[in-house]
Amino acid sequence: MADKKEVLRLQELAHQARVNLVKLCGAYNGSIHMGGDMSTIDVLTCLFHHTMHISPALQDDPERDRFILSKGHGAVCMYIIMALKGFFDYQEICDTYGKEGSKFGQHPCKMRLPMLDASTGSLGHGLPIAAGLAASARQKGQKHRVFCLMGDGETCEGSVWEAAMLAHAQRLGNLVAVVDRNKQFMTSYSEDSMRMEPYADKWRAFGWHVIEIADGNDMTQVVDALEHLPAPESDSPTMIVANTTKGKNISFMEKQINWHAGSLNKEDMQVALGDLEKVIEQQRKEL
């Protein structure tokens, strides 16, 4: 069972990330992929602040863990969580996000941010890259893990399943993939346009060790799942299916198709911040 103090610490960080994201969305003159950002924040917070062997000081360490954000449209969420870890200054993100010449583009760019392990944005590319990095680490005798975060929509791509077969064939136990299973695509609910269930069983059929998180927005469940990964020396890659809610913790955004991306006016921003404050207050009482 996850340590309660650590869960509370991570909940507070995830809450701050959501608040920072809402404030940026309210100030930015354009759309931000808020729905999917809100569904992935809890997993990303746990990865960067609890699970992965990674920090600004370890950028050049060959044994640090690697991370690929395959759903590249979730970049701003990643930037904000990395800022809380000390990689960036949050105010710089706010001042420059999406502007010409900024380090903080709408999709992550390794040329601008050399501490990233890959530039992403074209869906379906992340897992193949991660599998290659994991295979390379095995050949070099390195012991770190390679993590890859995908959206469930991009797992409709054939390249994902080619990489899944490769990872099984190469016995890449040092590879951990996480799918943000919020069951929404950009313009539809997933099961209305692409019947993906039984989802976890598909990964099992490809030879992966599968961990299912019933509620990927419950930090206790997220921590429990990520604390029970097989050893990197094991023979099977791991898939974590995190069942999440798109737009999580914001009343007018949860499970709403039109909130794949958008912007917040002042009234929306105040409602969103109020919603987030109610949630964190309840979480503090429960722990």
Side-chain angles (χ1 to χ4, degrees):
M1 178 63 71
D3 179 77
K4 288 186 177 181
K5 289 184 178 179
E6 178 64 359
V7 170
L8 181 57
R9 183 184 76 88
L10 294 170
Q11 284 180 344
E12 295 285 350
L13 285 167
H15 168 69
Q16 188 60 56
R18 283 187 166 93
V19 168
N20 289 352
L21 181 57
V22 165
K23 290 180 177 179
L24 175 58
C25 191
Y28 179 60
N29 185 26
S31 291
I32 290 178
H33 291 89
M34 290 287 288
D37 285 350
M38 289 294 173
S39 64
T40 59
I41 275 181
D42 302 288
V43 168
L44 274 175
T45 298
C46 188
L47 284 172
F48 274 94
H49 291 268
H50 180 77
T51 304
M52 295 193 296
H53 179 58
I54 189 171
S55 73
L58 296 173
Q59 180 178 332
D60 298 321
D61 187 341
E63 286 294 352
R64 68 168 174 83
D65 287 335
R66 308 299 197 267
F67 177 76
I68 306 294
L69 181 69
S70 191
K71 53 174 291 182
H73 53 286
V76 67
C77 174
M78 181 184 70
Y79 300 151
I80 287 172
I81 288 169
M82 290 180 74
L84 291 171
K85 184 78 171 180
F87 283 92
F88 318 124
D89 178 66
Y90 170 67
Q91 192 57 50
E92 183 183 1
I93 300 172
C94 294
D95 292 342
T96 66
Y97 176 72
K99 295 180 179 179
E100 185 176 355
S102 173
K103 294 185 291 186
F104 305 105
Q106 294 183 2
H107 294 84
C109 177
K110 183 173 171 57
M111 297 295 291
R112 300 281 185 180
L113 295 171
M115 72 284 296
L116 301 182
D117 292 305
S119 302
T120 56
S122 295
L123 297 178
H125 289 188
L127 191 62
I129 295 171
L133 290 174
S136 175
R138 274 288 173 87
Q139 291 175 354
K140 296 173 182 176
Q142 296 173 337
K143 304 300 183 183
H144 62 266
R145 287 189 172 99
V146 180
F147 292 84
C148 177
L149 177 63
M150 297 182 284
D152 52 359
E154 75 170 291
T155 62
C156 298
E157 300 277 356
S159 55
V160 170
W161 299 102
E162 292 177 30
M165 284 191 290
L166 172 70
H168 171 61
Q170 295 294 315
R171 304 177 184 273
L172 300 180
N174 55 343
L175 175 60
V176 180
V178 183
V179 167
D180 176 33
R181 181 77 169 116
N182 60 37
K183 302 180 179 67
Q184 288 182 225
F185 298 162
M186 183 170 68
T187 58
S188 70
Y189 297 101
S190 64
E191 301 308 303
D192 291 342
S193 56
M194 180 65 71
R195 297 174 64 181
M196 305 180 78
E197 294 295 343
Y199 189 76
D201 287 344
K202 289 179 171 60
W203 290 95
R204 292 187 181 99
F206 273 70
W208 285 55
H209 171 70
V210 177
I211 300 173
E212 296 185 74
I213 306 178
D215 183 355
N217 297 122
D218 181 314
M219 191 60 78
T220 298
Q221 294 185 40
V222 173
V223 173
D224 278 343
L226 289 170
E227 285 187 345
H228 287 86
L229 297 174
E233 298 82 15
S234 63
D235 287 341
S236 297
T238 295
M239 165 52 65
I240 297 177
V241 179
N243 292 284
T244 63
T245 299
K246 205 161 186 175
K248 182 65 177 178
N249 292 349
I250 298 180
S251 55
F252 59 84
M253 200 178 292
E254 286 194 1
K255 298 182 180 180
Q256 298 302 306
I257 292 296
N258 61 344
W259 267 105
H260 177 76
S263 59
L264 297 171
N265 58 35
K266 289 183 179 180
E267 181 179 350
D268 288 339
M269 187 169 68
Q270 292 307 309
V271 171
L273 291 173
D275 288 343
L276 296 179
E277 188 60 31
K278 291 176 184 177
V279 170
I280 193 63
E281 287 179 1
Q282 184 60 36
Q283 289 175 339
R284 289 164 181 160
K285 289 177 183 178
E286 291 174 353
L287 285 176

